Each structure stands twice: as C-alpha cells, then as structure tokens.
Amino acid sequence: MKPKIGRALVVGGGISGIRAALDLAETGYPVTLVDRAPHLGGVLSQLDNQFPTNHCGMCRMLPLVDRDAGAQYCLRKGLFHENIDIRTSTQVVGIEGEAGNFTVRLKRQPGFVDPVACIGCGRCADACSVSVADDFNAGLSMRKAIYLPVPHMLPNTYVIDPAACTRCGECINVCPTGAIRLYREGRQDFSVLVVDDEYTVRDSIKEWLEEEGFSVETVGSGEEALDLIKQQSFRMMLLDIKMPGIDGVEVLKKAKDLFPDMTVVMMTAYATVETAVEAMKTGAMDYLMKPFDPEDLAGKVIGVYEAEEAARAEEIEAGAVVFCGGSEGYDPSTGKNTFGYKVFSDVVTGLEFERLISGTGPGGGGALLRPSNGEPVKKIAWIQCVGSRDLQTDSDYCSGVCCMYAIKEAMLAKEHGPEDLESTIFYMDMRTVGKAFQRFRDAAETDQGVRFVRGRVHTVYQDTHTGKLVVSYPGEKSRRIEEDYDMVVLSTGQKPSSGTDKLAEAAGIELNPWGFVRGEPFLPAKTSREGIFCGGSFSGPKDIAESVISACSASLLASATMHSAGKGIAVAGDDTPEYIDVSHQAPKVRVILCECGGSLPEGIDLRRLAAGLEADPFVESVSFVSRICTEEGWESLAEKVKTKGYNRLLVGACTPYAYTRRIRELGGEVMLDPSLMDVCDIRSPEFAYGEETGGDAIEKAMRRSLSTGISRLRSVDPLPKQTVPVTRSALVVGGGIAGMTAALAIAEHGYDVHLVEASEHPGGNLGWLHSTVEGNDTAILLEDTTQRIEKHPLVHVHTNTTVVSAFGEVGNFFTTIETADSGPQTIQHGVVLIATGGREAETRSYGYGTSDAIVTQKELEEKVAAKAIDYSAIESVCMIQCVDSREEPRNYCSRVCCPSTLKHILQMKQQNPDISVYILYRDMMSPGFAESWYTEARKAGAVFIPYTTYAKPVVSQGEEGGSKVVISTREPLLDADVQIHADLLVLATGIVPNLPEELAGAFGAECDEDGFFREAESKWRPVDSLKEGVFGCGIALGPGSIEGSVATAGAAAQRALRILSKNAISPAAVTARVRHSLCVTCERCIAVCPYGARSIDPDTNRVLVNAVMCQGCGNCASECPNSASVLDGFFDGRMLDMIDMVME
Amino acid sequence: MEPAVDTQTAAPDRSLIKKLAPARKQLLACIQCGTCSGSCPNADAMDVSPRYLWRLLLTDNAEEIFKTRTFALCSTCYTCTLRCPRGLQITDAMSLLKQVAASENLPLYKRSIRFYQSFMESVRRHGRVREMEFMTLYFMSMKNPVIPLKFTPLGMRLMAKRKVSVEIPSKGTQKLDAMFRKAREIEEQS
C-alpha cells in the first residue's frame, strides 16, 4: 500500500503510543514515534501479567489486516512497521505551525552506544565497575552504568546511563565491535571564554564551569581576549566590564563585529542601569552582578547552552500530533509516608510487587519472597488509595486502575506463593467499573479466598522482635486492630508523568488542575490546541483498555485532521512493486554471509562452511560481506543481489529482527517477494556455546542455523495470493451518540456511511439526558451532531429502519434493511459498526411502582427537565445505588449511575440546601476525575451509607395517607438501624443492552453473557469482534458515559478505516488453505478457527478460507485429521526437513 | 430494636444541631475511612472512636454526641488532622465540640469545662498561668473537697521539684481584661 503524504507524530511509546502509531500506520500514514526513554513499551514492559487472563497478550494489537507490513513479533520485544519511524531517547522541544502543517522540533539525547554496531554480547557490562539501582526492576536490583534497558527487547542493544557513567572507558576496551563511542559530551564542545582582570574571579569561574562539563579558557585583559577569539572559536564569553586597558564594553563591540553569533554575558560590580543597558544594546545577552552565586552563573551558562542545543534540534513536518505521554506511579516515600515505604524493605509498591514475581525480576525465579530476608511470604496485604483520593497529596481523583491490579496481584500471589497464603485487601470502595470486573472480584473473594476489608490503614510499622510488619486499621466499632503481615503492597495511584508540564508548554496545550492534559468536553482525546490530540493516561488515569480506546480515538482525530488538510492522498509513484513470479521455478537460494569484520572466534572457517552449504543443490551460491550492519556492508550486499540467477535469498548475520525493514526495501529493489528472503542468526550460536567449546562446535551450530534457513526458504510457497476487493462504505447500526459519531468520522474520511436507526429520530439516550455531572450540556452535543449528520452528503440516515438479514465477510457485506414505509433494501458495505446502545433497566425491587415517590434515575432526570419537582416541598431524598446490579444475574457495574447520583445530589442541594439527601450504596463508583464530584457531593452535605447484598435496605410505605416512603437500613459504623423518611426515593437501576443476539449473529459477532457486544479481547482489542470487519461501540459494547461512548465510537471508526482505506486487501504470506482432494468436509477446522475465517460453500460443498481473515495461527492444520488443511510455508514434509536440519 | 437514627424523629433539639453546624461543616467531606480513629493516641481511652463520633455528627445525632466523652479527651496532638486523606480539620472540629459543650454548660463535661475556665481565668489575671492559683480556682469552682485531696500527692511531688510554688491568688494586673471582653463579644455575636 502506498503511504499517504501527511505524516503523523506520536509522542510516547507506551501502549497508547504504540496503538496510536499502529492505527495511523495501518491507515497508510507515515508515522514518527518518539519516546524519551531508550526503549518502547512504557510501563507495560515491566508488567508481565494483565487482568483478566493474568497473562500478557500485547501481541493482539499487531496488525491483522496487511499483517506483513509489520513484523509479527512479540510487542514486548519491539515494534516494527514499514510506516513507523521509531526514535527513542528523543524529546519534543517545540511545535510550531497549525493543524495539518506542524513543524515539530525533536531533540535526541546523545547515545554513547551505536545501536547498529552493538551485538548485545554484554562484555561491556561485565567490565563496568559502576553499580546503580535498576529502574526496570523498580530499584529492587542493581545494574551497571552500561546496561540493557529492558532485558527482553530485540534487538537488545546496550545503553549508557550518562548520570552514572564515570567515563572510565573500560567498556570501550572490551567491546568487540567498537560500538561504544564515549565521545565528549555535548557540553564539552561548548567552549566558554572568561575575561576578568582578577585572577581569583576567572579561576573560580573556570572551576565551577568545568565541574558542569564545559570547556573553559581564561584571560586577564581585553587585549588578550580579542587576540584569543581570533585564534579559537568560542560559543560564549563572560566579560568583565571594568578592566584596565580596553574595558568590557569596548571588547564586546569588537567581538560582536567579528563574531555576531557568540553569546556574551557581562559581569560587573557596578551594576548601574546605564552600563547594563549600553552593553545589552551593543549585543550582550545579559549581565551578572558581582558577587554571584556559582549556581546562578552555572545556571545561566547551562540555559544558554540548552537554548542553543534546542535551536539545533531536528525539525520534522507533521500533519497532526498525538501525545501519549502516559503517567507515573505515585512515590509513597514523598509525603507523610505513614506506611514506611523505603523504611521497611517488605513494604513495596504495586509495580515492585509485579517485578518481584516476574521471571525477569530481581529474584529471577518469580517466587514470592520477602525482600528483607528472602523467606517465603505467607501473609500479605494490599493497601488501596495510596496517592489517590487523597486531598493531602493533591489527588482528589481516583486512579481507576489500582483496585483491579490489587485483585489481580492478590490472585497472582496465590500462584507464586505457598498454597495457604493469606491475602487481604484494605479498601474504601472496590471500583470494579469495567466489563467483567465485578465477576473477577467475586471470584477472588469466593474462589481464591482473598479477604476484603473496608477501611483505611493508617500506619504500618515493624515489630522489632519478629521482623513482621504490623498493619493497624479501624475494625468493628472503629476499634484499632493490629495484624502481622510478611509483606505489604501499596496500591499506588497514577500521577502526571514527570515533565508533562514542560511538554505541554512546548506544545502549547493546557493542563487540568491535577496536572494531566485537559481534554475537551465529551472529547477527552482533543486538547486545547487544534491538531494536537492526546491518548492514554496522559489526560488522566486509565487502565489498558481505556488507554487503547483513547489512543484509537486520538489517532482517528489525527487522521481526520490530516485528511481535511489534504494530507490523506497517497504519495505519487508506483504502487506495490510487482514481484517476479517464481512459482514455476525450482528454488535457488543465494546465501550471503557476514564475516563480522573478522571478529568471529578462532577456529571458525567461513569458507569451509560455505563450501559445505554449496553442496546443497538448492543453494545457488555463497558469498561474503565484511560487515552487513554498516552502511557500506549493506551496499555491498545490495550489489551482490543485483545479478540474477536466484529466487530465494538467505543472509547470515546477527539480530535478524533488525533487518526486517531493510529486507522489505531490498525486495522492492530487486523485485523479489520479501517472503522469499530471510535473515538467519549466525552470531548467537557463539554466545550459546561459549568460546571455550571451540570453533568447531560453533561452526556446526552456525551450519545448522543456515541449513534450517535454507530449508525454510525452499518451502515458502511463492504462489501469488488472491487479493480481496473492499467495498469502501460502512454500515452503522444504531443512531445514538456513538453511532452518529462513528458515522461522521468515517464519512469525514470520504467514505459512504449508512446509518440505520430503529426509531424515528437519531439521538438515542441523549434524547432524555440533559447534562452531565461536569455540567456539560448534552443538548448542544446532540443538536450539533444531528445537524452535522443531516448535512453530511456521505451519511445516509435510515430512520424507522431495522436490519433484517446480513451475510458476507470483511470487505464485502450484504445487508438487507427494512424501513417502515418503504420496504426492504439491500446495502453492500465493507465494514459494520454495531452501536445499538442500551437503556435503563426495569426493576421491581424496593417497592418500585407502589408509590409515586419511588422513581428511577431516568424518571428523575425527566422530571427535573420538565421542572416537575417542587424543591421547596421536599425535606428528604433517598437514593439507592446498584439496584439489581453487581449481583447475579446482572453482575456488572453500569458505570453511569454513581456519577448521575452525584449530579442529582448537587442539583438538588443547589436548588434547596436544606434537603437532606441520603445515598445507600455498596461502592461509590467515581473513577478518575469524577471523584472530585463525590467530594463535592459530600461537602454539599449528602450522607452516604453503605449497605451489603446480605443486608439490603427495605422500603415500606409511610404513614397512611402520607406521601413519604420509609427506607430502613443498617448504618455499619454506628452499628445501628436507620430509618429514612423520604419524599423521593431514587433507584439507580443501571443499564441493559439493546443488542439482539440475532443482529450480532447476522454479522458473525457474538453477545457476551450479559448481552453486550463480545469484544475480541477486552484489553488489547476492545472494540473489535473476533470476526474482522465487525466492530462495536458505545453502550452496545458495555455500560459507559457519553465521553466513553464517543471514545469507543472514534476507536471503532478508526479500526474500520484501516480496512476502508484500501481498495483491496492482500492476504499475508502465511495463511491457511485447503487441499480439497484430501478434505472430507468434517468441518472440524471450521469449529477451531478462532477468527471465523472458514466457511463451507453450500454449492460446491467445499471448505473455503477467507485469506484476509485468516491469521495463520495453524489451529486448522493441526486439527485436520487428513492433513488437508495446510499452512502456507509450513507443510508437514518441509517442517520435518527443518527439524532434521536442526537435529543434525 | 429502636432505630438509633431516624430522619424524622432524630435529634429534636434543633438549636443544638444549629450550634453543631460549624463542626459539621468541617467534617462534611469525610469518607468514614477511620484514619483518625486509627491514629488517635487517646482512642483507647475514648468511649466511642472519633469515626463513630463524626458519623453521629454527620447524621445530626446531637444528643448521642453529648453522651460521649470522646471529644473531651482530645489532647490536640493533631495526628488525625495530619493524616486525614480528605485534609479535614479534625482537631478543630473537636475543639468546636468542646466549645459547644462549654457554652451549654453540659453537666457531663463539668470537670473539663471548669478546668479550662480556671486556666483561662488565671491567664486573664496575669497574662500567663500560675499553676497554684489555677488549681485553687479549679478546686473552688468544683466545690468538692475530695478533688484537692486527690491532687495532693502530685502537688507535693511537683513542689519538691520546684515545678510549682505557693502563690496566693490575686486579682493580677487585669491588663488583659479588655482583650477577653472583646473575645467574649465576638463569641456571643457568632
């Protein structure tokens, strides 16, 4: 696919940044992905296990359509996509221009290790004598000053920590490839001339500045200074004003005539305004008053140096910018630290716990041991809300992730610790707000025996005799209880990433009161500056799924910006190269080996190895290149492949992964399909066998590696694949805010959209909602969106219409819709988005229907809007949360009810502050910044009383003839029964989905047990269905706010655009096919295909494989009893050949 | 069982509730986490925990509040205020409760009310506390001969260490009278 002319910049290479970059790359935009760290992956590179599977699964984010454009590698090891240019150790220092045409200045931290030359052998680290705390293991283990930032990264190149490095140079001596260039740091190239007649002054300045790393020359008079600057170039001059002979001002004039670029700072003891002004007029940048502080002086010089460096930053053009700067864990050692973090070594943070049990963690084995003495942990506690929901640490917000990670960690602790491990979670509200979260919590409690205690631990201290940690918390009747634990985990919350303020300033975007990026109302991914968007936890605490959704939605907005600026057009030039058809040729492999600059261990004879390989009849020739990793080496290789006579290419080098992009480019040059080219690792055997085993063993291992590679290339099927044409239009089912937003997003990219709405008007739940707890007016959103929908020529709205039937697959669906008056009609479309929404659940609980005083939240909302409530006549209001929800059969949190309740409280209290408001709740769910409204509601005087499912409130009629209802409940803190006489009882009944199973089924998607759209993967593919081309958004996907619906709509539209942006989809090189002569149509392969790529053709009675949907997993091939289902390139015979080669 | 809190019948004494309003206002944002109760060094001596007390306050249960001695036992160490995740001025709220009890002259708190009053009386007279005078005033106001006897051993020990000396109560300089008057006026106004 040809790339588009617009380039997108994604800042931050964590999970959100990777998602945003992949999204934009998959829709054809070239992307520059920068991260200030020396590696990608963000915090997730440190987290091995994710809820709810307690495994990883990041690879599910890899491209599924046009798979071969990216490397199919574990994403924790690295990212490669032909449209993504990755720049690590790079920061954004400024953004100029406007949406569509930004000029971004990027600054790269100088690297000391050449990543191309480094082979990751680790000799440098062995030689390094510095030892510092390892950030990767959250400081729990030590590393050297030259180190691997992430142990599992590929290619794994060493980096130097400039702060820890002593520049001793030992690593340079041992590096076999000369990859380390401990060149003088930038500051030493910044030369400063100090001119002062007093020796002590100039000498101390020299000393101070040299300590900061600058190179300094001193002279004692104006004459000497003028002589010296003619001989030597200086970037900066510190110039005394009052000197015998030529005075400073005179020197300044002459120096500025000669070198106008030199920065001059005057120094004077007589800081009269006149001299300073005169000097500044003549071109001095600033002046310093004597005597001055060494730090002031150094600060000034550093400021000048950094400003100059920043000005020299590289500039790139970008149509849109997506910030995914992420967040940081709260450091509990700052603040009051009553939990003794960093005081007692068995008190760890959640992240440290993850590292402790990781296979790549400090212990290495992943067993759960006490850091203090290495004994197994038998009793462990989690303390929630550390650095969250805490007004004393400026965090009047909920971090939203800690509850779920604490539950996950408590489950993992059971796996990694002894069987009888006791785990306790101390919490205030368990915020299980997402899909399946409540069931996960219930399982932890009932199946795994995790103990949940409501209450806040205020102190952790160590028993000096037993060494155990004593956790003290308020128990029954609020009496202090003290319990012994082996380990305490602090569930630390999310804080804005360090440097967020600086970056926001450089980018010209606004922050919210908590220091995160401020999003626009209803569109959190949009920042205050046009064309700059924000994904992931940069705009507020988020979990993985929310981050992925917000990153998708940000990349959609970025793509729309570039599209409307005319940057969505593909670059001119030839389309995908027409590769030579080699299907009728016998395999001929050309082998090119890297000699590694002669640094191979002794005893290895590459010529002998080559001779052996040449004996293979499939090998065309074997030749050598001195060092492929260098530019010259690669050019020499490119030269060697120009001559014809072969149809497969095998390169023997190191780190095959690093060559993925280059091999693809080379393929385009020589017209050879890149799937017929391969790079084989011949350097790793050296490390695996070690030098002491001798050259013979290594050479043998190298031969095995190469023979296997040759065997694999032989078996690659060169048959060109059939592409699948795409109908470039979309169907959106459901005209609520999610459906409308998604339809508009797709239409704005120039594709037809059919929007099907069952009712008379689009709008969905926005028809009865009026405002949000934040005070944003939903009517404006509705009006604005419906108007845009009506005006947009590409959006075809079908109201009073339902979907009757549908068939087809990604790229080509055929759906019959029926409109009430005009009858059925069939639409052809490439993708489908299901946005059927949800509605307020009905209830029969708590006396609903027996009194006019008992209403649901929706009814209250409608009454408020109709001004049908006389606030002065109300004395007391009661609200019951979680009505029929968060317990079987509707065991999920509906997410919107708690914020709605807070909104209603504040509305009522505003109208009449004397109304008593009582809220009966189980856990108040106000994740993220909604927490501040919870605080406001309490401040307004609402009384919150928790209840449990074991002792629910009871509603009865009040006095005869009275309008009040009486609610009896138990107040757990007072340990007393409470009776509330309420004029109004509001029931929060939650949300049920509107998604009929037949509708989902018609498109090949599924409903989950609660009737919501089943996503392919809750974290990594939250809006896709397993069947490609079918997406869900809005409440159909799961309960959510308006903001959430808009975000999922954006995400679903972005996923759809990956497909719509192509005329035709070409299948990947490795897909499955069926040998019909052997197939008995037992259909077992259809059942095991996780992607729904297989179907049976009723006309021919043959099993068909949709090559675009097939992900080449091989399930079918291993299931097929007849070997009729095969995976291209992995035929049984060839696989056995390869195994033979390895075992040789 | 009789409901402890009933929104219709609870706390009929509306004037008391009104007096408690400033303290209640301090505590509104309370999330009932119990950090105050857990960190209070005097909690073991209290009949109900601070968390329980605040819950009574927030549910307008004025009568129950003045059945407990919890706030009277607050030694103003400020640990709870320091640790409260909501940043509430808990110690100040305790003082406000003490003030209400004093202004209402509630018999349950007679001892501590008199104790504080005697202390302040001595301050008013001399601009500082004179221990012996302060205790004499206190014993006199309590009108109970047993109390001075209880304090005798402590007094002897303190005297032996020259921590207190015998002083005859006097009217003092009365220079602070104007200030105390003004303070009372302000209190009465609010």
Side-chain angles (χ1 to χ4, degrees), chain A residues 599-624:
Chain A
S599 73
L600 287 169
E602 269 181 45
I604 295 177
D605 187 348
L606 279 183
R607 315 282 147 180
R608 186 170 63 204
L609 185 67
L613 292 175
E614 269 171 345
D616 185 331
F618 293 107
V619 172
E620 182 248 0
S621 68
V622 180
S623 52
F624 304 92

Short mmCIF file of all heavy atoms in Angstrom, two decimals, chain A residues 599-624:
data_model
loop_
_atom_site.label_atom_id
_atom_site.label_comp_id
_atom_site.label_asym_id
_atom_site.label_seq_id
_atom_site.Cartn_x
_atom_site.Cartn_y
_atom_site.Cartn_z
N SER A 599 35.78 -10.58 13.35
CA SER A 599 35.81 -10.74 14.81
C SER A 599 35.21 -12.08 15.25
O SER A 599 34.94 -12.27 16.43
CB SER A 599 35.06 -9.59 15.47
OG SER A 599 33.68 -9.73 15.27
N LEU A 600 34.98 -12.98 14.30
CA LEU A 600 34.46 -14.30 14.69
C LEU A 600 35.53 -15.04 15.49
O LEU A 600 36.73 -14.83 15.28
CB LEU A 600 34.10 -15.10 13.44
CG LEU A 600 32.83 -14.65 12.71
CD1 LEU A 600 32.73 -15.34 11.37
CD2 LEU A 600 31.60 -14.93 13.54
N PRO A 601 35.11 -15.89 16.39
CA PRO A 601 36.09 -16.59 17.22
C PRO A 601 37.02 -17.45 16.36
O PRO A 601 36.67 -17.86 15.25
CB PRO A 601 35.24 -17.47 18.13
CG PRO A 601 33.87 -16.98 18.01
CD PRO A 601 33.75 -16.27 16.72
N GLU A 602 38.15 -17.70 16.93
CA GLU A 602 39.12 -18.52 16.20
C GLU A 602 38.58 -19.93 15.99
O GLU A 602 37.79 -20.42 16.78
CB GLU A 602 40.42 -18.60 17.01
CG GLU A 602 41.37 -17.49 16.62
CD GLU A 602 42.67 -17.61 17.41
OE1 GLU A 602 43.18 -18.73 17.49
OE2 GLU A 602 43.12 -16.57 17.93
N GLY A 603 39.05 -20.52 14.92
CA GLY A 603 38.65 -21.91 14.66
C GLY A 603 37.45 -21.99 13.74
O GLY A 603 37.05 -23.06 13.29
N ILE A 604 36.85 -20.84 13.44
CA ILE A 604 35.70 -20.89 12.53
C ILE A 604 36.18 -20.50 11.14
O ILE A 604 36.80 -19.44 10.95
CB ILE A 604 34.60 -19.91 12.99
CG1 ILE A 604 34.05 -20.38 14.34
CG2 ILE A 604 33.49 -19.83 11.96
CD1 ILE A 604 33.02 -19.47 14.92
N ASP A 605 35.93 -21.39 10.20
CA ASP A 605 36.33 -21.11 8.83
C ASP A 605 35.08 -20.94 7.99
O ASP A 605 34.38 -21.90 7.68
CB ASP A 605 37.19 -22.29 8.31
CG ASP A 605 37.76 -21.97 6.94
OD1 ASP A 605 37.30 -20.97 6.34
OD2 ASP A 605 38.64 -22.72 6.49
N LEU A 606 34.80 -19.66 7.66
CA LEU A 606 33.57 -19.40 6.92
C LEU A 606 33.62 -20.01 5.52
O LEU A 606 32.60 -20.41 4.97
CB LEU A 606 33.34 -17.89 6.81
CG LEU A 606 32.70 -17.21 8.02
CD1 LEU A 606 32.46 -15.74 7.73
CD2 LEU A 606 31.39 -17.87 8.41
N ARG A 607 34.84 -20.08 4.95
CA ARG A 607 34.96 -20.65 3.58
C ARG A 607 34.58 -22.14 3.61
O ARG A 607 33.92 -22.63 2.73
CB ARG A 607 36.38 -20.51 3.04
CG ARG A 607 37.02 -19.15 3.26
CD ARG A 607 36.51 -18.11 2.29
NE ARG A 607 36.49 -16.80 2.95
CZ ARG A 607 36.11 -15.67 2.41
NH1 ARG A 607 35.65 -15.65 1.17
NH2 ARG A 607 36.13 -14.55 3.08
N ARG A 608 35.03 -22.80 4.69
CA ARG A 608 34.71 -24.22 4.81
C ARG A 608 33.19 -24.41 4.96
O ARG A 608 32.58 -25.26 4.34
CB ARG A 608 35.43 -24.78 6.03
CG ARG A 608 35.32 -26.27 6.22
CD ARG A 608 36.27 -26.72 7.30
NE ARG A 608 35.91 -26.13 8.59
CZ ARG A 608 36.78 -25.96 9.59
NH1 ARG A 608 38.06 -26.30 9.46
NH2 ARG A 608 36.39 -25.43 10.72
N LEU A 609 32.63 -23.51 5.75
CA LEU A 609 31.18 -23.53 5.97
C LEU A 609 30.46 -23.32 4.64
O LEU A 609 29.51 -24.03 4.29
CB LEU A 609 30.82 -22.42 6.96
CG LEU A 609 29.39 -22.32 7.43
CD1 LEU A 609 29.03 -23.53 8.28
CD2 LEU A 609 29.18 -21.06 8.26
N ALA A 610 30.97 -22.36 3.88
CA ALA A 610 30.35 -22.03 2.59
C ALA A 610 30.42 -23.22 1.65
O ALA A 610 29.45 -23.56 0.95
CB ALA A 610 31.05 -20.82 1.97
N ALA A 611 31.57 -23.85 1.64
CA ALA A 611 31.74 -25.00 0.74
C ALA A 611 30.71 -26.07 1.07
O ALA A 611 30.11 -26.69 0.18
CB ALA A 611 33.15 -25.54 0.87
N GLY A 612 30.50 -26.28 2.36
CA GLY A 612 29.52 -27.28 2.79
C GLY A 612 28.12 -26.93 2.31
O GLY A 612 27.37 -27.78 1.83
N LEU A 613 27.78 -25.65 2.43
CA LEU A 613 26.45 -25.22 2.02
C LEU A 613 26.26 -25.33 0.52
O LEU A 613 25.20 -25.69 0.03
CB LEU A 613 26.21 -23.77 2.46
CG LEU A 613 26.09 -23.50 3.95
CD1 LEU A 613 25.99 -22.00 4.20
CD2 LEU A 613 24.88 -24.20 4.55
N GLU A 614 27.33 -25.01 -0.20
CA GLU A 614 27.21 -25.02 -1.66
C GLU A 614 26.93 -26.41 -2.21
O GLU A 614 26.45 -26.56 -3.33
CB GLU A 614 28.48 -24.42 -2.29
CG GLU A 614 28.30 -22.92 -2.50
CD GLU A 614 29.58 -22.22 -2.93
OE1 GLU A 614 30.67 -22.81 -2.81
OE2 GLU A 614 29.47 -21.07 -3.39
N ALA A 615 27.24 -27.41 -1.39
CA ALA A 615 26.97 -28.78 -1.82
C ALA A 615 25.47 -29.04 -1.94
O ALA A 615 25.04 -29.96 -2.63
CB ALA A 615 27.60 -29.75 -0.83
N ASP A 616 24.71 -28.22 -1.23
CA ASP A 616 23.25 -28.37 -1.30
C ASP A 616 22.78 -27.94 -2.69
O ASP A 616 23.07 -26.83 -3.14
CB ASP A 616 22.63 -27.46 -0.22
CG ASP A 616 21.12 -27.63 -0.11
OD1 ASP A 616 20.49 -27.97 -1.12
OD2 ASP A 616 20.58 -27.41 0.99
N PRO A 617 22.05 -28.83 -3.41
CA PRO A 617 21.66 -28.49 -4.79
C PRO A 617 20.75 -27.26 -4.87
O PRO A 617 20.66 -26.64 -5.92
CB PRO A 617 20.90 -29.74 -5.26
CG PRO A 617 20.54 -30.48 -4.02
CD PRO A 617 21.59 -30.17 -3.02
N PHE A 618 20.07 -26.92 -3.76
CA PHE A 618 19.19 -25.75 -3.81
C PHE A 618 19.93 -24.44 -3.59
O PHE A 618 19.36 -23.38 -3.73
CB PHE A 618 18.06 -25.91 -2.78
CG PHE A 618 17.12 -27.03 -3.11
CD1 PHE A 618 17.13 -28.21 -2.38
CD2 PHE A 618 16.24 -26.89 -4.18
CE1 PHE A 618 16.26 -29.24 -2.70
CE2 PHE A 618 15.38 -27.93 -4.49
CZ PHE A 618 15.40 -29.11 -3.76
N VAL A 619 21.19 -24.54 -3.20
CA VAL A 619 21.95 -23.31 -2.97
C VAL A 619 22.59 -22.87 -4.28
O VAL A 619 23.30 -23.62 -4.92
CB VAL A 619 23.02 -23.52 -1.88
CG1 VAL A 619 23.94 -22.32 -1.78
CG2 VAL A 619 22.34 -23.80 -0.55
N GLU A 620 22.30 -21.65 -4.67
CA GLU A 620 22.82 -21.14 -5.93
C GLU A 620 24.27 -20.73 -5.76
O GLU A 620 25.13 -21.11 -6.53
CB GLU A 620 21.96 -19.96 -6.39
CG GLU A 620 22.35 -19.36 -7.71
CD GLU A 620 22.93 -17.96 -7.57
OE1 GLU A 620 23.02 -17.45 -6.44
OE2 GLU A 620 23.30 -17.40 -8.59
N SER A 621 24.56 -19.94 -4.73
CA SER A 621 25.93 -19.52 -4.48
C SER A 621 26.04 -19.04 -3.04
O SER A 621 25.03 -18.74 -2.40
CB SER A 621 26.31 -18.38 -5.42
OG SER A 621 25.56 -17.23 -5.08
N VAL A 622 27.27 -18.99 -2.54
CA VAL A 622 27.51 -18.42 -1.21
C VAL A 622 28.57 -17.35 -1.36
O VAL A 622 29.61 -17.59 -1.99
CB VAL A 622 28.01 -19.50 -0.22
CG1 VAL A 622 28.24 -18.89 1.16
CG2 VAL A 622 27.04 -20.66 -0.13
N SER A 623 28.31 -16.15 -0.85
CA SER A 623 29.33 -15.11 -0.92
C SER A 623 29.42 -14.40 0.43
O SER A 623 28.64 -14.69 1.35
CB SER A 623 29.02 -14.13 -2.04
OG SER A 623 27.70 -13.65 -1.90
N PHE A 624 30.38 -13.48 0.55
CA PHE A 624 30.66 -12.86 1.85
C PHE A 624 30.63 -11.35 1.79
O PHE A 624 30.95 -10.75 0.77
CB PHE A 624 32.05 -13.30 2.33
CG PHE A 624 32.19 -14.79 2.42
CD1 PHE A 624 32.69 -15.51 1.33
CD2 PHE A 624 31.79 -15.47 3.55
CE1 PHE A 624 32.78 -16.89 1.39
CE2 PHE A 624 31.90 -16.85 3.61
CZ PHE A 624 32.39 -17.55 2.53
#
